[in-house]
Amino acid sequence: MEVITTVADFRGATRSVERPMSLTPTMGALHEGHISLIQRAQEENQTSVVSIFVNPAQFGPSEDFGRYPREMEHDLNLLHGTGVDFIFAPSTVEMYPEGFKTHIEVEQISEKMEGSYRPNHFRGVATIVCKLLSIIRPDRLYLGQKDAQQNLVIKRLNNDLNLGVEIVVCPTVREPDGLALSSRNQYLNPEERKAATVLHRALLLAEESGRTNPSDIKRDMIALIESEPLARIDYVSIVDADSLDKLGEFDGHALVALAVYIGDTRLIDNVLI
Ligand code: AMP
């Protein structure tokens, strides 16, 4: 396992690697959700790369960029066990040197759900993913279902700019009580941690509901979440899983997605139905 921090060193070290080569992009503070992607990438490719970069461009001015967990030593220990070949962990100035002026905007799909609460978030995501793809030049990109809208943005970017990478989406890894693993779960105190199961409970309600009208299902989900005093809803959406357009009726291919604050911590989750 080789840890590389500059673009020049990465290019030098990977000039003649065996392919296919995978990239699993992360912001670090790694958990079993990340590891499931990394293991799958490892199994399916000759060479595997993990990037660790807390990307300032995807955080809003009042968001948690400053306190986002940075745990490089812990991450490297965890990665040692996976057999990954290269870790690309650049500094902020390596990725955004003075004079940096180019951004990628993926229209429409970026403006819904997360986009309406986090303006410029997906502009930051699309820009960093485009940069990582052009630095690392992987054949395959491994992403988690947990970030469903992000995956659609990256797929659009990949198609529209002919980046030619194969995108593999892996299932969401959850705690035994249903909470999706997330680096942000660390922010939760014990009381909030208990309350946070309401996201998954609301998604289960949608999955198990016999109802076919999305508005009815949404109403039930909102009532359940609002019964949890520590929870505050940003959005609950039942949409077409490809376009994110609102659905009139459930037709078997829906994305049920939500963003909910538990105390000061904003969590997202989703299921495909
Ligand atoms: P992050 O470090 O949060 O930016 O996530 C890096 C990648 O890991 C993204 O593709 C996420 O969708 C994925 N990921 C995060 N949490 C989970 C999880 N609980 N299960 C599966 N994949 C996840």
Side-chain angles (χ1 to χ4, degrees):
M1 185 172 95
E2 195 174 340
V3 182
I4 300 179
T5 58
T6 69
V7 175
D9 285 352
F10 189 85
R11 293 236 165 98
T14 57
R15 200 155 283 138
S16 54
V17 293
E18 283 188 65
R19 289 186 175 264
M21 178 165 81
S22 67
L23 169 62
T24 308
T26 80
M27 298 207 296
L30 300 182
H31 51 63
E32 287 303 318
H34 298 115
I35 298 299
S36 72
L37 271 55
I38 294 164
Q39 276 170 343
R40 168 121 179 240
Q42 177 75 13
E43 281 162 23
E44 295 178 352
N45 297 276
Q46 290 299 315
T47 303
S48 57
V49 181
V50 171
S51 63
I52 299 180
F53 182 65
V54 185
N55 175 32
Q58 70 189 69
F59 289 79
S62 60
E63 293 181 1
D64 58 341
F65 175 68
R67 71 170 184 137
Y68 196 85
R70 289 156 173 89
E71 303 172 347
M72 192 55 87
E73 214 180 297
H74 157 272
D75 291 348
L76 294 181
N77 283 336
L78 211 57
L79 288 169
H80 264 298
T82 65
V84 61
D85 298 293
F86 297 98
I87 316 295
F88 181 58
S91 66
T92 303
V93 69
E94 181 71 11
M95 294 308 266
Y96 299 109
E98 208 184 312
F100 185 93
K101 286 287 173 226
T102 306
H103 293 91
I104 308 280
E105 197 94 49
V106 179
E107 293 169 3
Q108 282 189 2
I109 204 100
S110 292
E111 290 148 24
K112 305 169 185 194
M113 294 181 358
E114 284 297 284
S116 45
Y117 292 87
R118 304 184 70 190
N120 291 328
H121 170 64
F122 287 121
R123 180 187 199 246
V125 169
T127 303
I128 197 66
V129 169
C130 199
K131 278 177 69 74
L132 288 170
L133 291 177
S134 66
I135 294 163
I136 293 167
R137 303 192 182 269
D139 303 290
R140 298 196 182 114
L141 185 65
Y142 287 76
L143 304 171
Q145 176 59 33
K146 164 100 177 353
D147 293 273
Q149 185 176 10
Q150 173 169 287
N151 298 343
L152 293 175
V153 170
I154 295 172
K155 283 180 179 173
R156 187 80 263 153
L157 165 75
N158 184 44
N159 284 339
D160 288 356
L161 298 187
N162 306 98
L163 300 179
V165 69
E166 184 186 330
I167 293 175
V168 182
V169 176
C170 305
T172 301
V173 177
R174 300 179 178 283
E175 299 282 4
D177 64 6
L179 178 65
L181 298 192
S182 162
S183 306
R184 290 188 167 99
N185 293 350
Q186 297 184 23
Y187 299 152
L188 302 169
N189 67 32
E191 198 188 348
E192 291 168 342
R193 170 63 188 78
K194 270 190 215 147
T197 60
V198 78
L199 279 84
H200 186 242
R201 285 188 277 126
L203 294 171
L204 281 181
L205 195 70
E207 259 181 336
E208 290 163 5
S209 157
R211 295 177 187 268
T212 57
N213 183 320
S215 311
D216 294 339
I217 298 170
K218 215 169 124 171
R219 199 174 326 110
D220 291 347
M221 292 175 71
I222 290 172
L224 174 71
I225 299 167
E226 285 180 343
S227 73
E228 171 48 65
L230 294 177
R232 182 166 57 80
I233 297 173
D234 252 1
Y235 64 83
V236 173
S237 296
I238 301 180
V239 291
D240 179 89
D242 296 316
S243 65
L244 304 186
D245 288 341
K246 288 216 170 79
L247 286 176
E249 284 287 311
F250 251 157
D251 68 350
H253 190 48
L255 175 73
V256 185
L258 38 70
V260 176
Y261 277 91
I262 302 292
D264 292 333
T265 302
R266 187 174 183 279
L267 300 175
I268 59 168
D269 200 352
N270 70 82
V271 288
L272 284 171
I273 296 186

